[in-house]
């Protein structure tokens, strides 16, 4: 079954904003790290922002100052607020988590398209 469910992708003009959401299934007993990766057309998957569970969040240099990750632990949900979007942000965004049961968990991906 799907254990990470994403929403919030869409088409937006350059300079606009989007907010992505990802909710984890109850079947994941404990979540440690949680965040977002993306894959742009013709490029490899790259880290966007991840909460390392300690409370520290790491961001890709390309999104620092524009994207903000937040977590609601009570709901096992992570959000990605994306501001000042650029055409180069166009990609499929994937929610990511690890924890118990041991392993990595991935969402189905949500398309973000930024027009110039």
């Amino acid at each position: 079954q799907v254990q990470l469910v994403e929403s919030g992708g869409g088409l937006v003009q350059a300079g606009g904003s989007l907010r992505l959401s990802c909710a984890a299934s109850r079947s994941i007993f404990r979540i440690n790290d949680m965040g977002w990766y993306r894959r742009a057309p013709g490029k490899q998957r790259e880290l966007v922002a991840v909460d390392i569970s300690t409370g520290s969040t790491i961001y890709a240099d390309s999104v620092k100052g524009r994207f903000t990750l937040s977590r609601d632990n009570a709901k096992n949900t992570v959000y990605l607020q994306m501001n000042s979007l650029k055409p180069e942000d166009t990609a499929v965004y994937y929610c990511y988590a690890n924890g118990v049961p041991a392993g990595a968990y991935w969402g189905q991906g949500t398309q973000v398209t930024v027009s110039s």
Side-chain angles (χ1 to χ4, degrees), residues 8-10 12 18 20 82 85 89-93 110-114:
V12 65
L18 286 173
L20 306 183
M82 305 185 293
L85 283 162
D89 294 318
T90 296
V92 178
Y93 285 69
T110 184
Q111 177 70 48
V112 171
T113 302
V114 184

Side-chain angles (χ1 to χ4, degrees), residues 34-37 47-51 57-60 63 67 69 80:
M34 195 170 188
W36 297 87
Y37 287 73
L47 183 146
V48 178
V50 175
D51 172 30
T57 303
I58 57 175
Y59 294 92
V63 307
F67 292 9
L69 183 146
L80 185 67

Side-chain angles (χ1 to χ4, degrees), residues 16-90:
S17 299
L18 286 173
R19 187 181 186 229
L20 306 183
S21 300
C22 174
S25 169
R26 297 174 183 174
S27 65
I28 304 178
F29 178 74
R30 185 177 74 241
I31 297 174
N32 294 323
D33 304 338
M34 195 170 188
W36 297 87
Y37 287 73
R38 69 185 180 187
R39 180 180 286 114
K43 300 179 68 176
Q44 297 180 343
R45 183 178 62 187
E46 65 176 351
L47 183 146
V48 178
V50 175
D51 172 30
I52 305 302
S53 80
T54 307
S56 177
T57 303
I58 57 175
Y59 294 92
D61 288 340
S62 60
V63 307
K64 287 181 179 178
R66 300 188 298 119
F67 292 9
T68 303
L69 183 146
S70 60
R71 287 177 68 172
D72 183 341
N73 290 324
K75 296 182 178 180
N76 282 340
T77 300
V78 65
Y79 306 93
L80 185 67
Q81 179 66 45
M82 305 185 293
N83 298 324
S84 302
L85 283 162
K86 305 175 180 179
E88 49 263 46
D89 294 318
T90 296

